[in-house]
Amino acid sequence: MPDPTALPKLGLATDQGQTAIADVVVQKIAGLAAREVPGVHALGGGAARAFSAIRERVPGATASAGQGVSVEVGEKQAAVDLQVVVEYGASIADVSRLIRRGVITGVEHMTGLEVVEVNVAVTDLHLPEDGEDGAAESGRVE
């Protein structure tokens, strides 16, 4: 099978027409790519994760693939900002590097857009005793 990175990139504007990619498409691709990285527990800040936990309890509701992800999409380029919760014990530097690599590869491969930056904000750390509900509460005293 040929290496997909060796294939020529197709332009989004051609003689036969233009392809417009909605921000939400790039947002979902980036979110799914980031979630695949080992050491990533969740995406989004505390309020977004709390809302998602409530939504998951509603029958038929699904979690948003774009939670914790914001994007700016131009005609040829995209920039991605992510809020992540990292598993305790994982190297934040390594997790961030793998997130960037995965997001850039996924977005560029699926859309043809050039990803000019991927900013990763680690908003919390998931501790084993926190269970599956979410991350540690900042400033918690027990």
Side-chain angles (χ1 to χ4, degrees), residues 33 76 81:
K76 298 178 182 180
D81 294 322

Side-chain angles (χ1 to χ4, degrees), residues 10-20 75-76:
L10 301 175
L12 296 175
T14 68
D15 293 340
Q16 290 84 26
Q18 292 187 330
T19 301
E75 289 182 23
K76 298 178 182 180

Side-chain angles (χ1 to χ4, degrees), residues 63-127:
S64 170
Q67 175 182 307
V69 183
S70 60
V71 299
E72 291 181 30
V73 180
E75 289 182 23
K76 298 178 182 180
Q77 297 179 325
V80 180
D81 294 322
L82 297 122
Q83 293 182 334
V84 300
V85 177
V86 174
E87 294 283 349
Y88 175 77
S91 165
I92 293 173
D94 290 345
V95 169
S96 296
R97 182 178 40 80
L98 291 171
I99 289 171
R100 282 188 187 90
R101 182 185 305 157
V103 168
I104 290 169
T105 300
V107 171
E108 288 185 350
H109 175 72
M110 290 186 72
T111 66
L113 294 167
E114 176 191 8
V115 178
V116 294
E117 68 180 8
V118 176
N119 299 308
V120 179
V122 178
T123 59
D124 210 341
L125 190 64
H126 179 260
L127 304 174

